[in-house]
Amino acid sequence: MQHTGLRTVAAAAAAAAVLTSLTGCGSDGGSGSKNLTYWSMWTENEPQAAVLKSAIKDFTKDTGVKVDVQWQGRTVMEKLAPTLTTGKVPDLVDQSDDKLYPTLVRSGRAKDLSGVFDRPATGEKGKLSSKLKMSYMDYLRKQPDGGRKWLVPYEVTAVNLWYDGADKDMKAPPKTWDELLDVCAELKKKDRACISADGDQPVYIGWWLDYLADRIGGDGVMKKAITDDSGKGWDDPAVKEAAEKVRELVDKGYLLKGYDASKYPEQQNRWSEGKAAFNLNGSWLPTETGKFARKGFDPKAAPFPSAVADKGGKRNATDVRLFGFAVPKQAKNSAAAEKFISYFLAKKRLSGIASKAGNITPRPDIEAPAILKDVKEQMESTPSREQMPGSVTDWTDKVFYPAYKELFFGKASPDQFVAKIKKLHTAYAKAHR
């Protein structure tokens, strides 16, 4: 009985601490609201949704704030866009940073969330910013007012060169571009493909050019090319050299046959079956291909190879993408939304993203899933870089892919690629000014 009483007192004290932390999250935006509308990028049957559902249930129990969650799926931003002119916006949304930016941030409609970073996560001590690897956010595009804290990340992904650690044809992953070509040449002698790539995925195949331009010319080359309305950025010698290296892969027959007519996820699945040695892809690849993998397949992630001498080690950035929460400025219950963010970012709840959803979190104190430990080590030891920096979806579809697929499919030379993308790029810029 005595122990039970002590547990009751301790539980009451803990609950009081939670409530005190939660009620200190802001005084505007409906700070006393008992309702919160949340539109999520996940569908209800996904593992991330399961983690969020559990947190939402506990949040309501601990705070009395009811969360009306709507599992909108990947089109959440398309559904959000028309609400921004009506004022009937959700209080909380989540998506990847590249999808949030053009819809919510570029127009200045995202709330600055600096206060969330400056407060402890619920039940913890010390600012949330002290618990996160904040350098992951260095690449985020700025709001009109110059701020970058419009997103509170809860999941981080990276793009790596994936290979089978049990592959007998490869002693170690290539560290340089020449080493990659050597491996590819040896595999070709054995009548085996070196690289698999789903040709109908603009961003996936575009990572080859994106990474190469970065490794050759340094960070900023692709961003200038993508964001400079004049189109002059595409004249950078690093872009052409990157295009030449991509074309070399094609001309030497190092890509798995059928890549130019493949339908995602055909080629990545064939990689896990052992039909090709490498696949340039995101940290979600092992999960997506797991059920197709051959017996004994051991997926490993290597950094994208260096392409030129890099004595200062400044051309080793890792392409990163953040997934997290944002709050529309027009939200009526923004303080309640911030409370939930602080609640979910606490270690004991955020850990589910790793342990149950199989992904990496932005908290170094949360262990990555075993299959992604090498990815986490790479991200924590190198600078973070935005994938295809400055791009938006319709630019990728209307400008990049039409020009790049001709290069990647062996139908255009590097010079022809540069000429075509400049023409499409400047026309797009003119139409969107």
Side-chain angles (χ1 to χ4, degrees):
M1 290 296 291
Q2 184 179 11
H3 293 305
T4 301
L6 288 172
R7 285 198 297 268
T8 301
V9 172
V18 168
L19 289 171
T20 299
S21 175
L22 287 166
T23 54
C25 290
S27 58
D28 63 343
S31 59
S33 175
K34 291 298 181 181
N35 294 285
L36 163 64
T37 301
Y38 167 31
W39 287 10
S40 178
M41 67 169 287
W42 308 107
T43 55
E44 196 167 1
N45 61 346
E46 291 184 280
Q48 285 90 341
V51 176
L52 285 159
K53 278 183 183 178
S54 177
I56 289 169
K57 182 180 178 180
D58 291 343
F59 178 71
T60 299
K61 180 180 178 182
D62 289 340
T63 68
V65 177
K66 182 180 178 181
V67 180
D68 176 15
V69 58
Q70 298 180 29
W71 306 105
Q72 302 281 10
R74 302 305 186 268
T75 59
V76 62
M77 288 297 104
E78 287 88 333
K79 295 173 182 176
L80 173 68
T83 72
L84 296 175
T85 58
T86 66
K88 297 180 180 179
V89 299
D91 301 304
L92 180 67
V93 294
D94 61 6
Q95 236 305 2
S96 58
D97 62 87
D98 62 321
K99 298 296 192 300
L100 284 164
Y101 179 80
T103 302
L104 191 62
V105 182
R106 183 168 54 189
S107 60
R109 297 178 185 272
K111 191 175 188 295
D112 182 273
L113 298 176
S114 297
V116 177
F117 289 99
D118 290 340
R119 293 187 293 269
T122 303
E124 298 183 346
K125 295 180 179 180
K127 295 179 179 180
L128 175 62
S129 60
S130 70
K131 309 295 183 181
L132 305 179
K133 182 173 170 58
M134 295 297 289
S135 61
Y136 285 147
M137 298 178 62
D138 287 348
Y139 75 83
L140 286 181
R141 300 177 221 181
K142 294 180 180 179
Q143 294 172 284
D145 64 5
R148 280 198 176 96
K149 292 181 178 177
W150 46 266
L151 170 77
V152 179
Y154 59 75
E155 182 174 305
V156 56
T157 63
V159 176
N160 304 91
L161 190 63
W162 288 89
Y163 67 99
D164 177 10
D167 193 336
K168 296 180 180 179
D169 286 335
M170 186 167 50
K171 296 179 180 179
K175 293 183 179 180
T176 69
W177 186 255
D178 287 341
E179 287 179 7
L180 173 64
L181 294 180
D182 289 342
V183 172
C184 288
E186 289 300 314
L187 290 170
K188 188 175 182 180
K189 291 177 183 178
K190 298 180 180 181
D191 197 28
R192 185 180 173 202
C194 186
I195 297 162
S196 72
D198 282 293
D200 65 340
Q201 297 299 301
V203 175
Y204 285 27
I205 63 174
W207 285 325
W208 286 98
L209 182 81
D210 185 40
Y211 253 135
L212 278 165
D214 174 75
R215 294 296 194 257
I216 296 166
D219 194 32
V221 169
M222 281 297 285
K223 185 173 183 178
K224 181 180 179 181
I226 292 170
T227 60
D228 184 350
D229 287 355
S230 73
K232 293 180 180 179
W234 296 105
D235 291 325
D236 192 303
V239 174
K240 183 179 177 181
E241 186 176 344
E244 289 171 344
K245 291 185 183 301
V246 169
R247 185 59 197 258
E248 185 177 12
L249 295 177
V250 176
D251 291 344
K252 291 185 175 179
Y254 292 159
L255 290 159
L256 181 62
K257 290 181 180 180
Y259 76 94
D260 53 345
S262 66
K263 299 295 181 183
Y264 169 84
E266 177 189 343
Q267 286 259 324
Q268 68 176 39
N269 290 342
R270 294 186 69 186
W271 165 77
S272 69
E273 294 169 354
K275 298 296 192 298
F278 300 105
N279 189 280
L280 184 61
N281 216 314
S283 47
W284 53 83
L285 184 65
T287 300
E288 289 188 351
T289 60
K291 63 181 179 181
F292 301 99
R294 67 181 180 182
K295 187 176 180 180
F297 194 78
D298 182 23
K300 296 288 186 181
F304 192 87
S306 63
V308 295
D310 184 23
K311 295 181 180 180
K314 295 181 180 180
R315 299 178 185 179
N316 65 341
T318 300
D319 275 10
V320 169
R321 181 64 70 204
L322 296 173
F323 294 77
F325 297 115
V327 177
K329 275 187 178 179
Q330 298 159 280
K332 295 180 180 179
N333 302 302
S334 60
E338 290 188 27
K339 289 177 186 178
F340 178 73
I341 296 173
S342 296
Y343 190 86
F344 188 69
L345 267 289
K347 182 179 179 180
K348 69 176 182 179
R349 282 173 283 276
L350 189 60
S351 293
I353 292 295
S355 62
K356 297 178 181 178
N359 286 279
I360 298 170
T361 79
R363 288 189 62 139
D365 60 352
I366 295 178
E367 188 173 352
I371 205 167
L372 297 179
K373 284 185 177 180
D374 46 358
V375 175
K376 185 180 180 184
E377 289 174 2
Q378 289 171 36
M379 288 195 298
E380 292 186 347
S381 62
T382 60
S384 298
R385 175 181 180 275
E386 182 182 11
Q387 305 164 18
M388 299 286 285
S391 63
V392 293
T393 301
D394 69 334
W395 177 89
T396 302
D397 293 340
K398 296 176 182 178
V399 177
F400 181 76
Y401 190 54
Y404 182 69
K405 71 178 179 180
E406 293 186 1
L407 175 76
F408 201 74
F409 294 172
K411 298 178 180 179
S413 69
D415 284 329
Q416 289 171 329
F417 159 69
V418 171
K420 182 166 184 175
I421 200 167
K422 279 185 66 178
K423 181 179 180 180
L424 293 174
H425 182 90
T426 53
Y428 175 90
K430 184 177 180 181
H432 288 76
R433 283 182 185 135

